[in-house]
Structure formats: C-alpha cells, structure tokens
Amino acid sequence: PAVSFALRKADRFITCVHSYYSILNRRQRALKPAESPYRALLETMELTNTRLTLQLINDNNKVRLLLELYRLQGNMTRVKINELKPLKPRYEVPDVLIREPPTEPLSLLSQDENGVVLSLGAESQRVIVSARPFRLDIMEGRDVLMSLNSRGLLAFEHLRMRKDTSQVEPEAEKKEEGDPANQSETTKEEEEKVEDGMWEETFKSHSDSKPNGPSAVSLDFSLPGVEHVYGIPEHADTLRLKTTDNGDPYRLYNLDVFQYELYNPMALYGAVPVMLAHNAQRTTGIFWLNAAETWVDISSNTAGKVCSSETPQTDVRWISESGIIDVFIMLGPTPNDVFSQYASLTGTQSFPPLAAVGYHQCRWNYNDQEDVTSVDAGFDEHDIPYDYIWLDIEHTDGKRYFTWDPHKFATPKEMLQGLMDKKRKMVAIVDPHIKVDSNYKIHNEIRSRGFYIKNKDGGDYEGWCWPGSAGYPDFTRADMREWWASMFAYDQYEGSMENLYTWNDMNEPSVFNGPEVTMHKDAVHGAWEHRDVHNLYGFYVQMATAEGLIQRSGGVERPFVLTRAFFAGSQRYGAVWTGDNAAEWEHLKISIPMCLSLGLVGISFCGADVGGFFKSPSTELLVRWYQTGAYQPFFRAHAHLDTPRREPWLFGPENTALIREAVRQRYALLPYWYQQFYHAHRTGQPIMRPLWVEYPQDPATFALDDEFLIGRDLLVHPVTEEGARGVTAYLPGKGEVWFDVQTFQKHNGAQNLYIPVTMSSIPVFQRGGSIIPKKIRVRRASSCMMHDPYTLYVALNPQRTAEGKLYIDDGHTFNYEKKEFIHRRLSFTNNILSSVNLAPDAQFTTQSWIERIVILGASKPSTVTLKTADGKESQLEFDFDASMSVLTLRKPGMNAGVDWNVMLQ
C-alpha cells in the first residue's frame, strides 16, 4: 500500500505543478514598475535612540501603514512595515531569530519636506527616506548600496470585512468610525475591483476560505552594480540565480515534491528567504523574515547582453501571501561579514557528533533485524567504514512512529546493542503525521491534550499520509514541542538506546490528499491560519526532535537529526538533504549548486542521496556519486523501495574497490571535516563553499558551480559527466599554487587546468599555504579512530606562511562548551613548522600523536630537528622525493595536544 500511496501522491503533485498558478501571484505580478501610491507622512516621524517610526499612506485607498527602521549592530539595517491599525494582528515570525537583534543609535543628519537623511554610523553610511513616493536608499559615500521601493512595487493588502458578511470581528466593533487608518470593509473603489479568489480560492476539489480577504505583502529592492545573486534555497537550479522576467518567479513554499524538475524555480522541500548579492567590490544580503508562501522575482538590465555599456543593476521583488514585511539588510561588505551578520540573527550550524560526519547507509527499507545484521557485516567483510545504518517507515508497527514492527524488529535493543558493540549507530524515521488509531498511545495523548492542528471549523485536521488517516501535531505550540521532546526519553520510546538517532521526513507537512500534497491554508494553529506559518512547520518539527534527543541524555549528548523541510534557522538543529532525487547524471550535477546555495544561507550540513533515490544508477554513475558525496558535508546513500539493492559491494570487486577508496578518503579527512564543522559552528561560515567566497574579486569564480571549496584549503572538482576522460577545473588565485592531493603535482592558480581522469580519479587540490591533518589508518567506524595518530600535509607557497588548525574533543558531548577541547594553530614559516595552543584556557587531553609529516613543495634539508615543549631536541628521519619536491618526516611521535616545533636546516 505504501507504493500505491506514493503513486497517487505523484499524480496529484504533477498535475499541481502544471496547472496551478496562484491567483494572488497573478494579481501581484500584474503590478508593473511605476510611481508608488505610497507616500511617507513626515509629520508622523518619531526618532528615538534605537529606531525611527513613520506612517505611510496609500493614496489610492487611504490605508495607513507603520514603517519601523532600525540600525542593528554589525552593519545591518532592519525595516518593518505593518498595518497601522489592522483589523486583527498580522503574523510576525517568532523563534527564528536567536534573540531580539541589538540596535545601535540612529541620528538625523537632515530633513526637509521631501524626506529625511539618517546616519548609519561607520564609513559615511546613511539611509535616505524619500516622502513622495515613499522610497528608501542606503548609501555609502556617493554609492547607492541598495534601494527599497525604487520601482514602486510596495504592496500591502490590508485585512478587511466583506460588506455582505454577517461575521463581525470584535476588533472591528471597537474601531473608531472615520479613522483613515481603519479599513475594516472593502472600499467602493475596491469593490469594483473584487476578483475571483479574493475571498475564497478553489484548486481542484479544494477550497481555501479567506474571511478577511487577501493579505499579501510585497516590496522591491534594487541592487546597483550587481549582476550575481545567490541563495533563496531550495531550488534545483544553478548557483547563480536566473532572471525571471519571462517565466515563473522562484517559489518558496515547502512541498513534498515527487521527482522534481531540474533548472526550475518550482518550490521544493525547504525555504530559506535569504539572498546574497555579490560583485568584486562588495557582498550584501537580504533576509525576508516571512513564513508564508513567498515568490521572488529577479530582473537584470544586463541579462542576455554580451556587451553592455550600462551600469549593471539587479532588481528583486519579494511577494508573500500574508504576514508583515520584516526585512534585514546585511551590508557586508565581505562575504564572511554577511555570514557573520546572518549568523548573529539566526544562529550557526549545530556542531554534530563526529560520527555524523562519517558515512551513512540507508534505504527504504532494510527489511528486518537479520537484514540489518547482514548489511552491517557486509561492510566489515568488504573493509568499508561506516557509522550509521538507517531504517525508513517500514520498521514501525503499521506506520505508528515511536514503535517497532513486532515481527520484523522484535528485539530492537538487541539489534542496537550489536551495532554499539562495533561502535556504530542507527537512525530511525519519526514523521510528524500521526495515525488516527484509538489503540495508539501517541495519537491518544495528542488528541486528549488538544495538540492537533484544527480545521477551519474547529475539529482536528485530518489528512491522508503513510499510515492512512492521520492527524498533524501543532508544532508551533511550545507545549506541544515540549511534549514531543519528552517522547524520546528512553522510558517512553520503547526499544530506543543512546545510539539511536532520528530522521524527520514528510514535515513540509506532506498531506497526500491535500492541495499540492500539503495542508489546507485555512487550517488553524491557535490564533493563526496555516497560510501564515506554513514554511515554519518543518523547522519546528526538527527543533522539537533535537531537543528530545538532548533531553534524553540529561543535556550531555549532541543530537543528530536529519530533516527534509527547513526554514531560516534550521541550521541550529541538524542536517538537511536535497530530497527525493533520481539516479541520473543531471541530478548528480545539481547536488553541487543545491548544497552550495544552502551553505550560503547558513545550512552547512547538507548532502544528496548518493546514487539517487528514484530509479537505478548505472555502475559508473554510482561510483561517481560516491566520489562526489565523499566530499559533501552530509554523506548518505539512500534508495527507493522499488529499486534493486545497491550496497557498495554488489557491483563487482573493481567497483567495490573504487567505492571503498572514496569512503576511505572521507574517513582519512575526518579531522579536517570536523575542524570545518567547528569553525562553521563558531562563525556561521559555510563548510562547502563557492570559489567566489574566498576569491571575491575574481569574476571567473562568480558563476562556477561544478567545483567547490571545503573550507579555504581543499578544492574539489567531481567528475559528473558520463564517460568522462577529463575535466577542466579552474584553479583560482593569482599567486596561488595548488597541489593535486593524489600525485602531489603543483599547479599555479588563475588558470583553467585540464585533468585527465580514470574511474578512480577524484580531482582534489590542496591550496599552497595550508596544513591539513588526516588520519590514515583504516577503521570500521569513526569512534574507532579516536586515539589514532595524525599525518600532517603541509602545502607550501613561498609567498606566504602555511597555516592550518587542529581541533580535538570527545566527539559526542556538549563538553566542548565547558572548554573541554584542544584547538591548535599549525604554521610553517622560515623553515619552522610549529604547533601553538589557540585555547590556553581549555582543558582536554588526547592519546593521539603525530606519526608523519608530508611537506609539499619543499627543498631538501640537511637535518630536521624536533623540539618539544619540555625543551628536548631530537633529529628526525626523513625522505625527500626530488622529482616532486616532497619531504616526508617519519615518526616524529609528539603528542597532538602539546606545543612543539620542527626545524628544517
């Protein structure tokens, strides 16, 4: 029956994609750039130390809005626009910001009848508020950094009462008659323009009631000097966003999409309403904090023009179905500044347990405990490391989450203990649709506590999903989330143990018989409609689940939770993946820009189903996907129920060896990956990043999305073409040198390099001027590597000091927050390689030592001397390969957590 559900769901969604085009979207996009009907009423301006407020009036309908403007710490500006006196409160997104952003003083520079000029503090930055028509310009010196409403596309549909309705809102009764700010009924002018869909929208057999009429908000932004914009995931599209003038806008509306289309602005599983704009001089960002269905239109005056004398400009328009305008303008000026600014608002990537950075083996479904044991043994037999094996929906008792099939998984603790004995772990799926069944404890508890989302008539909302008829818990409620978290306690989730972690799927939410396979927009969450909160639902599910995993250990252990649906801030709670992809070469290629886009907006822990979820990959495609996935942050193979089995050893010994080598490369680099995750957690910088982030003044990098950097120091150009005999990689940076990590061959930067490839090739380069730690010994899982020694790869560039970092902690607890870790700076300058403590107030010890140092681009020394912190000196053995300029220091033997230096003479 699960498959028939999926097929019905697929048919329903495909029809949606090709037939549905929102009345709201048509109405809003019909507005063309022109003089705005909104003007600022300067006489209403109030300026305090922390904010400016100002009323705006729509001269067409006399509705008044309230503008709030804040200067925020860290070179950001916040703009909020709401109805001055709405018929009832409009939704403002809670819980996404990690705190109320701290403000800095605003000061008035000048004012006349045309507008006001305010200082934004540093570097002659100021904001100009023009009155008629209303417009905001953010300036630095003589340069306009960004303009708001410069094209006159601000629109704010006010809440209202229908003249023919018998319903009377209590708030409306209290309104003062004749107040121009109060528009609780449609005006005569608006009555004449009433369109189908303003009060009720129909889609196939579904209807969507709107008791207070349409409530969309819209605002345009102009970006002078900008041709490249990025972000607003999730879309299966290029890294650089395309213009939408002759097509559909980019849509942000979390949906369970069956076999999604590529190079398309259609909505997918997650929505992060953050856009970055970049040119060689500056990087800026726009964070549109709205959880309703949102569209983004992009136009450019230079799009499609080969040679244009015009100054480039990109114009962006955001449209949301409901809520308010609440926008954060991040002024950079560097890419890392924008990452820091956004992280200060929504937080950083959670720091995962080390094991989660290893390899994950999944399919829908491993059949029973014997199947799990067999697959686990297969990895040992074929000498392939892995850390997590996954169970999909079939492991439950009739799709009742928090349960186990009594026949196929009769003794789950025995199964989990068997994995624990090998230092391995399991992930089991827990979806947020709850089977309506009076014999099911979870359902009974949620219903008795009134925690289900309601339909518009006040009853529990029910839809169809994997279990059949299902209720949907209201995760927007803090008390519901608290109860959900408590269900992960070991005495509540029977059969669970400390090595069982969680996967939240279907949390868009997916409703097989709902409009577009999701929930009706007029479903009710307390005081709010689902239309207001839709894109937050998956964010809240993952939040509650992660909190449950933390609580079950008494706050000691770091959680691991994978989610399919996400929003701004989801990075705080775990990992995401790109959903139900297909075993096709184009899907392999698109995984790179999809993950790069997520990293730019804070979600670093991202990956794609290795091998493709739908269909069956050719052997060549499967191998190339393992080679690509091994260099993406979240590394998991997954497959559909109807596909043939594809464990790594099922394709002949040659291909098993190729996959084994890719997985082992991942494990050897775990120390570097773990340091990158720690850095992302501390700074908000992406782990997998586009080249332009590190080479922001090189236009050749601005649109590249078939290669990427891991941190600053590893450049990866996966092979994603069928039958490829070579790839051309761009090696960035004038004055840079890049070393092939397999051959140690040196190449200069600022060039396109053709690289011949065979099936064993994964083109990876280490940047000259970097030091990367690896653990070379092969183990069955990451925990077994805990005390293994390090090999340091030192890649030299004569023009700069070589630097790297080494981060070590216990790999799984929050004790690093109590300063229980080692963080060391490794550097090579003036022929001295040294290790210095970056955190002298931290306390941690390691048994790991340095067993080898490989220096690339070296000269042959006459002697090599090791000096340790206790003052002892010793001579080290070394080998020198003159043909490749590679110096290898053997068995230096010093502990990885202490000070030392090695001198070449």
Side-chain angles (χ1 to χ4, degrees):
V3 179
S4 64
F5 285 163
L7 292 174
R8 277 182 286 175
K9 180 176 74 165
D11 173 64
R12 193 169 289 116
F13 186 79
I14 289 168
T15 310
C16 299
V17 168
H18 294 295
S19 69
Y20 177 61
Y21 203 55
S22 163
I23 292 168
L24 161 64
N25 196 7
R26 288 201 304 269
R27 184 171 67 250
Q28 287 292 329
R29 286 188 103 200
L31 294 178
K32 299 301 179 189
E35 186 164 300
S36 175
Y38 291 93
R39 60 185 167 91
L41 302 174
L42 296 179
E43 67 276 12
T44 66
M45 184 180 80
E46 295 181 16
L47 180 62
T48 68
N49 195 34
T50 58
R51 71 170 184 168
L52 170 137
T53 60
L54 185 64
Q55 291 181 28
L56 310 178
I57 189 166
N58 182 331
D59 280 330
N60 291 342
N61 62 16
K62 308 307 178 192
V63 173
R64 292 193 184 193
L65 306 177
L66 180 66
L67 167 77
E68 300 173 70
L69 189 145
Y70 303 82
R71 175 186 166 209
L72 302 182
Q73 283 182 15
N75 204 19
M76 292 181 286
T77 300
R78 183 180 193 179
V79 177
K80 292 179 76 171
I81 302 175
N82 197 352
E83 290 184 58
L84 179 63
K85 294 186 177 179
L87 182 67
K88 60 183 183 182
R90 296 180 69 116
Y91 189 70
E92 298 187 37
V93 174
D95 301 317
V96 167
L97 301 178
I98 55 174
R99 58 177 175 170
E100 191 60 28
T103 58
E104 292 190 338
L106 279 168
S107 58
L108 184 65
L109 295 177
S110 65
Q111 178 177 4
D112 60 22
E113 70 276 7
N114 297 315
V116 297
V117 181
L118 300 160
S119 170
L120 290 176
E123 296 188 31
S124 68
Q125 283 184 2
R126 59 200 186 283
V127 59
I128 301 172
V129 184
S130 302
R132 187 190 290 266
F134 164 69
R135 168 177 172 150
L136 282 178
D137 292 282
I138 298 175
M139 311 278 297
E140 184 171 280
R142 295 184 176 182
D143 296 328
V144 178
L145 302 182
M146 195 179 300
S147 301
L148 285 64
N149 202 37
S150 58
R151 295 191 298 150
L153 294 173
L154 169 62
F156 210 103
E157 294 180 330
H158 62 281
L159 304 178
R160 66 203 87 182
M161 296 296 296
R162 245 178 135 162
K163 280 233 171 158
D164 62 356
T165 186
S166 58
Q167 176 187 0
V168 179
E169 296 274 347
E171 291 93 334
E173 289 183 330
K174 297 174 190 170
K175 300 264 184 193
E176 299 171 24
E177 291 185 19
D179 185 336
N182 296 334
Q183 298 292 317
S184 59
E185 296 183 346
T186 51
T187 64
K188 184 175 181 182
E189 179 183 338
E190 288 172 321
E191 272 186 351
E192 293 168 2
K193 294 182 179 176
V194 166
E195 303 173 37
D196 288 342
M198 284 185 66
W199 301 96
E200 184 172 54
E201 211 168 317
T202 58
F203 166 60
K204 301 185 106 181
S205 61
H206 305 287
S207 64
D208 172 22
S209 60
K210 302 176 187 177
N212 297 121
S215 56
V217 299
S218 164
L219 185 60
D220 64 274
F221 300 77
S222 293
L223 304 163
V226 168
E227 292 184 273
H228 294 80
V229 290
Y230 312 90
I232 58 170
E234 185 176 34
H235 300 97
D237 208 346
T238 53
L239 174 65
R240 178 193 182 184
L241 298 170
K242 300 185 178 89
T243 58
T244 61
D245 292 334
N246 299 314
D248 294 348
Y250 284 96
R251 187 181 184 205
L252 294 171
Y253 190 59
N254 294 357
L255 290 174
D256 177 2
V257 184
F258 179 88
Q259 294 193 2
Y260 51 81
E261 298 175 24
L262 304 187
Y263 305 104
N264 189 302
M266 68 190 283
L268 290 180
Y269 311 94
V272 184
V274 175
M275 179 181 287
L276 276 67
H278 178 74
N279 62 24
Q281 288 73 47
R282 180 181 286 269
T283 310
T284 57
I286 298 169
F287 173 27
W288 176 268
L289 182 52
N290 189 301
E293 181 173 5
T294 296
W295 298 271
V296 184
D297 262 318
I298 301 168
S299 60
S300 166
N301 63 344
T302 55
K305 300 176 183 176
V306 179
C307 293
S308 175
S309 58
E310 293 179 80
T311 301
Q313 177 166 307
T314 296
D315 295 309
V316 180
R317 186 186 182 202
W318 299 75
I319 305 167
S320 288
E321 184 183 2
S322 65
I324 68 165
I325 292 171
D326 189 2
V327 62
F328 297 82
I329 297 160
M330 299 171 284
L331 294 173
T334 69
N336 284 340
D337 289 331
V338 174
F339 302 141
S340 297
Q341 288 156 359
Y342 181 62
S344 76
L345 298 172
T346 67
T348 61
Q349 176 64 58
S350 62
F351 190 30
L354 173 61
V357 187
Y359 172 64
H360 300 251
Q361 181 67 34
C362 183
R363 78 172 276 113
W364 176 26
N365 206 89
Y366 286 118
N367 300 323
D368 49 33
Q369 288 181 211
E370 291 70 29
D371 198 5
V372 169
T373 301
S374 171
V375 171
D376 175 70
F379 278 90
D380 293 334
E381 183 184 339
H382 296 93
D383 232 3
I384 301 171
Y386 90 98
D387 269 274
Y388 288 80
I389 190 165
W390 291 52
L391 296 180
D392 210 320
I393 53 178
E394 312 302 331
H395 84 277
T396 60
D397 181 6
K399 315 300 187 295
R400 297 169 182 85
Y401 304 106
F402 299 99
T403 71
W404 304 84
D405 183 295
H407 307 293
K408 296 178 178 178
F409 294 92
T411 54
K413 284 192 174 181
E414 184 181 307
M415 172 180 65
L416 287 165
Q417 186 61 52
L419 292 170
M420 189 179 287
D421 290 344
K422 294 184 177 182
K423 300 196 173 180
R424 289 175 176 151
K425 298 165 177 58
M426 174 172 275
V427 173
I429 201 164
V430 177
D431 287 348
H433 49 260
I434 303 302
K435 184 177 179 68
V436 175
D437 174 2
S438 59
N439 294 315
Y440 178 26
K441 179 187 80 169
I442 299 289
H443 164 70
N444 291 338
E445 287 252 4
I446 295 173
R447 175 160 283 179
S448 67
R449 293 168 185 260
F451 283 164
Y452 278 127
I453 296 167
K454 308 302 180 190
N455 59 39
K456 65 181 179 181
D457 301 316
D460 288 347
Y461 179 94
E462 289 187 14
W464 200 255
C465 209
W466 296 125
S469 188
Y472 291 78
D474 188 354
F475 284 89
T476 67
R477 295 178 54 163
D479 52 356
M480 164 59 212
R481 296 195 300 273
E482 187 178 336
W483 175 84
W484 179 267
S486 74
M487 290 299 100
F488 289 90
Y490 298 124
D491 61 352
Q492 293 291 330
Y493 188 168
E494 290 183 21
S496 67
M497 288 174 55
E498 56 266 38
N499 63 333
L500 181 68
Y501 296 81
T502 308
W503 172 18
N504 294 146
D505 197 5
M506 314 295 285
N507 54 339
E508 293 75 26
S510 178
V511 183
F512 291 169
N513 60 337
E516 295 194 277
V517 199
T518 194
M519 188 166 286
H520 294 73
K521 289 181 175 179
D522 56 6
V524 177
H525 301 253
W528 309 107
E529 287 188 298
H530 185 71
R531 80 181 74 252
D532 300 312
V533 306
H534 175 86
N535 285 344
L536 280 175
Y537 192 78
F539 163 87
Y540 277 130
V541 174
Q542 190 186 24
M543 173 197 286
T545 301
E547 185 56 36
L549 296 191
I550 294 169
Q551 285 180 11
R552 72 179 187 179
S553 70
V556 172
E557 298 290 332
R558 289 177 239 165
F560 171 74
V561 182
L562 180 74
T563 182
R564 190 169 71 179
F566 52 85
F567 190 68
S570 288
Q571 67 270 13
R572 306 198 298 264
Y573 304 112
V576 307
W577 92 107
T578 61
D580 295 346
N581 60 0
E584 297 171 359
W585 287 93
E586 288 300 311
H587 276 265
L588 169 59
K589 289 177 195 172
I590 208 78
S591 72
I592 298 172
M594 289 182 78
C595 284
L596 288 172
S597 296
L598 283 160
L600 289 175
V601 300
I603 299 177
S604 271
F605 204 178
C606 166
D609 286 344
V610 169
F613 177 67
F614 289 112
K615 306 182 181 178
S616 295
S618 67
T619 304
E620 182 189 2
L621 175 57
L622 183 65
V623 168
R624 291 300 191 201
W625 215 317
Y626 268 97
Q627 292 171 342
T628 302
Y631 287 91
Q632 293 176 345
F634 177 54
F635 183 24
R636 180 185 77 151
H638 187 35
H640 188 278
L641 186 72
D642 291 338
T643 61
R645 294 290 282 256
R646 60 168 91 136
E647 283 73 41
W649 50 86
L650 297 178
F651 301 89
E654 278 186 32
N655 294 303
T656 300
L658 291 169
I659 293 170
R660 178 191 300 118
E661 174 58 23
V663 177
R664 285 184 176 181
Q665 285 187 32
R666 171 59 162 237
Y667 276 79
L669 272 170
L670 279 182
Y672 182 72
W673 278 107
Y674 199 50
Q675 157 66 30
Q676 298 309 310
F677 271 96
Y678 181 73
H679 186 70
H681 179 58
R682 290 297 188 206
T683 68
Q685 293 176 20
I687 295 171
M688 177 180 171
R689 59 185 72 158
L691 271 60
W692 64 259
V693 167
E694 293 299 329
Y695 300 91
Q697 295 178 311
D698 183 355
T701 66
F702 292 177
L704 282 180
D705 60 8
D706 59 354
E707 60 182 272
F708 53 90
L709 294 164
I710 302 168
R712 293 174 55 202
D713 298 331
L714 279 183
L715 185 151
V716 186
H717 190 304
V719 181
T720 59
E721 293 282 348
E722 186 174 13
R725 296 188 176 186
V727 299
T728 299
Y730 180 69
L731 302 182
K734 192 172 182 181
E736 294 277 28
V737 292
W738 296 89
F739 292 87
D740 184 310
V741 300
Q742 296 299 322
T743 66
F744 301 148
Q745 189 169 349
K746 183 169 79 171
H747 305 279
N748 291 325
Q751 66 157 321
N752 285 300
L753 178 70
Y754 179 78
I755 307 151
V757 298
T758 65
M759 277 307 296
S760 65
S761 304
I762 314 174
V764 181
F765 300 87
Q766 182 175 345
R767 188 178 63 85
S770 68
I771 302 173
I772 289 181
K774 292 187 181 182
K775 287 191 172 184
I776 305 299
R777 299 187 183 186
V778 176
R779 304 290 189 185
R780 69 161 71 97
S782 61
S783 299
C784 303
M785 301 165 66
M786 180 76 180
H787 304 304
D788 281 354
Y790 291 92
T791 296
L792 303 181
Y793 286 81
V794 183
L796 301 184
N797 180 337
Q799 298 182 22
R800 66 168 66 97
T801 298
E803 292 188 346
K805 289 177 181 171
L806 179 62
Y807 176 84
I808 307 170
D809 64 14
D810 63 22
H812 59 96
T813 75
F814 285 105
N815 289 350
Y816 71 92
E817 294 180 345
K818 304 175 190 172
K819 296 284 186 179
E820 293 183 21
F821 61 83
I822 291 166
H823 201 198
R824 304 200 67 82
R825 178 177 179 267
L826 307 169
S827 64
F828 184 96
T829 186
N830 298 324
N831 280 333
I832 298 176
L833 174 65
S834 61
S835 173
V836 177
N837 195 353
L838 279 172
D841 56 340
Q843 297 294 321
F844 192 71
T845 57
T846 178
Q847 295 178 35
S848 296
W849 69 99
I850 311 297
E851 75 168 346
R852 188 182 299 108
I853 298 168
V854 181
I855 304 176
L856 313 181
S859 302
K860 184 176 183 180
S862 55
T863 61
V864 179
T865 305
L866 167 66
K867 186 175 182 179
T868 51
D870 57 8
K872 291 181 180 176
E873 293 189 7
S874 57
Q875 301 298 305
L876 298 183
E877 296 178 9
F878 64 87
D879 296 324
F880 183 70
D881 181 342
S883 66
M884 297 304 294
S885 299
V886 175
L887 174 67
T888 303
L889 313 182
R890 301 199 179 281
K891 300 182 181 177
M894 56 282 197
N895 185 278
V898 302
D899 290 357
W900 51 263
N901 64 58
V902 171
M903 184 180 301
L904 311 184
Q905 292 173 311

